[in-house]
Amino acid sequence: MKICNIELRAEGINKYPGKQHARAVAGKLSDSDGLIYLLGQYAFTIEDSDQAKTWRQRRYFYYCSGVDVPNCCLTYDISADELSLYIPEIKPERVLWEGRGPTIEEAEARYDVDSVYLNGQLFDHLDQWKKGNPKSTFYMLHKDHRPVGESFPKVDCEKLKHAVDLCRVIKDTHEIECIRRANEISAVAHQAVLRNVSRFRSEAQIQGIFEDACISKGAKQSYPVIAASGENAGTLHYAKNNEPLKGRQFVCLDAGAEFHCYTSDVTRTFPISGSWPSHEAKNIYSIVQMMQEHCIEGLRPGVKMYDLHLLAHKIAIAGLMALGILHNGTEAEIFEAGTSRGFYPHGLGHHLGLETHDVLDIPIMHYSMDDGPAFLSPCREDQPPLEEGMVITIEPGIYFSRYELNRAYLSSPVHSKYINRNVLEDYWAVGGVRIEDDLLVTADGHENLTMTPKGEAALNIIREASNSSHRLER
């Protein structure tokens, strides 16, 4: 079926390759006879309430099982090459209220495991394994994950997480397909916003129609929707989404669908009407667009995100100097001072997968907020180069945060001399511009998995919709 010019395929996705992942993790452990134990997420209620908390599966458990069911656990016997899933026993008295989980037979058919047992059988099986493997290591993620009452001669709570992280950073075809599907649904949801935004009165309506489009296509949210209008876009993780749109130049919509536990992360910035609201808004958008296009062009195996991150800063500096926002120095001087971080304060991107900010032994992002060279902080210099099979985001931005610029830059003798306060006054209303796509690193370059319209293509959708009926269009 075709919706909003995005092809949504009706067919399902093959069985999740849990055992393939478990074998890969064991290979990273370099142990021939240990036992890997992974605990799934249990269902809980809110404190002092009988209402259930929103449930989310533990991603390390899911990676080796593909099981999105509460109250399960998993073992992988490395020497026997046996992956065993343990599921909760069905309680007949609770089925009326909560429904039931899978039976053993259903789980065996659904998941890529060798055996399925009830949770109560775990302890006997662990005792049998210990008797047959008295010198082997029991691997788990955290000390508090140890099965109650169990002890083991050798326990390791450090190596397993590292091993899984090394495997998760390179996506297989199944994972790439899930991320691709998440992006397809995100594109439908973003287009639903574009087709209706000229009729909306508040940020909340933007959030509402995006979530509606995702849920109706069988997806969840990868992270809370950011629907920041006007100066709110200067707050990177704006979450209130409750202000009116009237008088705002731009909306920065950072929102992505999650499909089968795999995420997408997509940001688009667009005017509420089908035309550029000001010269200032169009100029800033053009700079960010150039930052993203040049960084995507450089994406291929062997490249370091750190180098692309610095490239983005250099493009931002040149553009802001051309507009007169930055002055009184050369591009090199402003770069060395780190003044551009006042306008571009975050890293260029991050890994994407089971988490929006997915795992890697040495992450792309660096959370230090020290006073060193400002452009170095959000992106690590010691990160490894990109490899085929990685999925990353490219998300440059330029922001005008009154609070941050006044706090750390306009009050600083190092930075204030490079910022033209008079010109800056004309740009506060722009708020912020961010453009973000999800990209797969391929053998000969990259593939952009994000198909959400941006720039003039997005404006055309807004224009066409605003000239048509006033009915909400999904």
Side-chain angles (χ1 to χ4, degrees):
M1 57 183 167
K2 207 166 188 178
I3 302 175
C4 298
N5 299 318
I6 299 297
E7 189 73 22
L8 279 183
R9 291 156 295 153
E11 74 272 14
I13 286 181
N14 294 331
K15 185 182 291 188
Y16 188 86
K19 186 164 184 180
Q20 173 184 312
H21 291 172
R23 284 173 172 163
V25 170
K28 297 296 183 183
L29 289 173
S30 300
D31 190 339
S32 60
D33 62 357
L35 186 73
I36 294 171
Y37 173 74
L38 288 164
L39 182 64
Q41 183 62 61
Y42 277 70
F44 293 101
T45 56
I46 297 171
E47 185 177 12
D48 300 324
S49 171
D50 64 356
Q51 183 174 326
K53 286 185 177 179
T54 300
W55 181 84
R56 184 179 189 268
Q57 186 61 280
R58 285 189 169 114
R59 274 12 189 190
Y60 287 86
F61 170 84
Y62 187 87
Y63 183 74
C64 291
S65 69
V67 177
D68 200 22
V69 175
N71 307 336
C72 299
C73 62
L74 188 76
T75 63
Y76 179 64
D77 187 331
I78 297 175
S79 62
D81 186 31
E82 184 171 356
L83 187 65
S84 300
L85 172 66
Y86 295 83
I87 62 175
E89 184 176 357
I90 294 170
K91 297 181 179 180
E93 69 275 13
R94 299 306 304 170
V95 173
L96 172 66
W97 297 93
E98 301 163 358
R100 68 164 178 84
T103 64
I104 287 177
E105 293 75 20
E106 289 168 344
E108 287 174 340
R110 187 180 304 169
Y111 305 118
D112 182 26
V113 297
D114 295 300
S115 304
V116 180
Y117 305 99
L118 297 178
N119 281 335
Q121 298 174 270
L122 172 68
F123 301 97
D124 287 342
H125 292 174
L126 290 178
D127 289 341
Q128 293 170 17
W129 179 80
K130 284 188 288 185
K131 290 176 183 177
N133 301 272
K135 296 182 180 180
S136 298
T137 302
F138 183 79
Y139 293 98
M140 57 184 180
L141 288 176
H142 306 290
K143 291 180 180 179
D144 61 356
H145 285 192
R146 185 196 302 263
V148 176
E150 291 290 332
S151 61
F152 303 88
K154 291 175 65 177
V155 176
D156 190 299
C157 300
E158 296 180 359
K159 293 182 181 178
L160 181 57
K161 184 178 185 299
H162 174 69
V164 179
D165 287 353
L166 290 175
C167 294
R168 278 175 56 178
V169 74
I170 303 296
K171 273 61 179 180
D172 58 36
T173 54
H174 184 102
E175 295 178 288
I176 293 167
E177 183 66 10
C178 286
I179 297 171
R180 195 188 307 278
R181 291 285 290 273
N183 266 280
E184 289 174 357
I185 297 169
S186 292
V188 170
H190 274 272
Q191 289 200 43
V193 172
L194 294 175
R195 292 166 68 88
N196 291 282
V197 69
S198 64
R199 296 184 272 277
F200 285 164
R201 295 183 178 181
S202 72
E203 297 166 340
Q205 290 176 286
I206 294 174
Q207 177 181 348
I209 197 170
F210 187 92
E211 292 180 351
D212 170 74
C214 291
I215 293 169
S216 66
K217 302 297 180 291
K220 301 177 182 179
Q221 299 302 298
S222 296
Y223 49 91
V225 171
I226 298 170
S229 64
E231 291 195 33
N232 292 335
T235 301
L236 302 182
H237 286 175
Y238 176 76
K240 293 192 296 182
N241 299 343
N242 63 358
E243 294 194 9
L245 298 176
K246 186 176 181 180
R248 307 290 170 86
Q249 293 197 22
F250 268 148
V251 171
C252 180
L253 177 59
D254 188 338
E258 175 189 302
F259 182 80
H260 289 191
C261 292
Y262 281 84
T263 62
S264 61
D265 191 355
V266 181
T267 307
R268 293 293 184 260
T269 305
F270 47 86
I272 296 167
S273 67
S275 58
W276 296 106
S278 66
H279 292 299
E280 290 81 9
K282 185 176 182 180
N283 289 338
I284 296 302
Y285 189 94
S286 296
I287 296 171
V288 176
Q289 186 178 42
M290 188 182 304
M291 292 163 70
Q292 194 199 39
E293 288 175 352
H294 280 73
C295 289
I296 289 176
E297 286 174 7
L299 202 60
R300 61 186 182 277
V303 169
K304 295 182 73 170
M305 280 287 284
Y306 177 78
D307 295 325
L308 296 177
H309 175 75
L310 298 187
L311 172 63
H313 268 279
K314 292 175 180 178
I315 295 170
I317 291 169
L320 293 174
M321 289 187 71
L323 298 180
I325 297 172
L326 295 177
H327 68 166
N328 286 341
T330 65
E331 292 180 17
E333 289 170 339
I334 294 173
F335 179 81
E336 290 299 321
T339 305
S340 56
R341 184 178 158 189
F343 302 92
Y344 174 31
H346 58 76
L348 179 64
H350 51 80
H351 286 278
L352 190 74
L354 286 170
E355 298 285 358
T356 305
H357 295 166
D358 210 28
V359 295
L360 178 63
D361 187 40
I362 301 177
I364 289 176
M365 296 183 300
H366 186 196
Y367 293 101
S368 170
M369 297 299 287
D370 59 30
D371 293 326
F375 53 86
L376 301 182
S377 181
C379 200
R380 291 181 61 136
E381 186 175 7
D382 61 346
Q383 69 194 227
L386 297 174
E387 299 179 43
E388 181 184 358
M390 290 180 172
V391 178
I392 61 165
T393 66
I394 297 291
E395 50 177 304
I398 291 178
Y399 311 87
F400 299 92
S401 168
R402 287 183 189 267
Y403 177 85
E404 183 64 9
L405 285 170
N406 282 313
R407 181 192 72 85
Y409 293 88
L410 295 174
S411 61
S412 164
V414 174
H415 302 298
S416 61
K417 64 183 178 181
Y418 296 127
I419 301 174
N420 188 328
R421 293 171 184 260
N422 293 329
V423 176
L424 181 61
E425 285 297 319
D426 295 331
Y427 285 86
W428 293 122
V430 174
V433 173
R434 180 166 65 254
I435 311 173
E436 177 179 20
D437 288 2
D438 305 338
L439 294 114
L440 169 67
V441 181
T442 62
D444 56 355
H446 61 268
E447 177 189 350
N448 195 332
L449 302 177
T450 300
M451 53 211 77
T452 302
K454 52 187 171 182
E456 289 295 336
L459 263 65
N460 286 337
I461 294 173
I462 298 172
R463 276 194 291 266
E464 291 172 5
S466 63
N467 292 329
S468 62
S469 70
H470 289 274
R471 154 179 83 81
L472 283 183
E473 299 181 34
R474 296 178 178 84

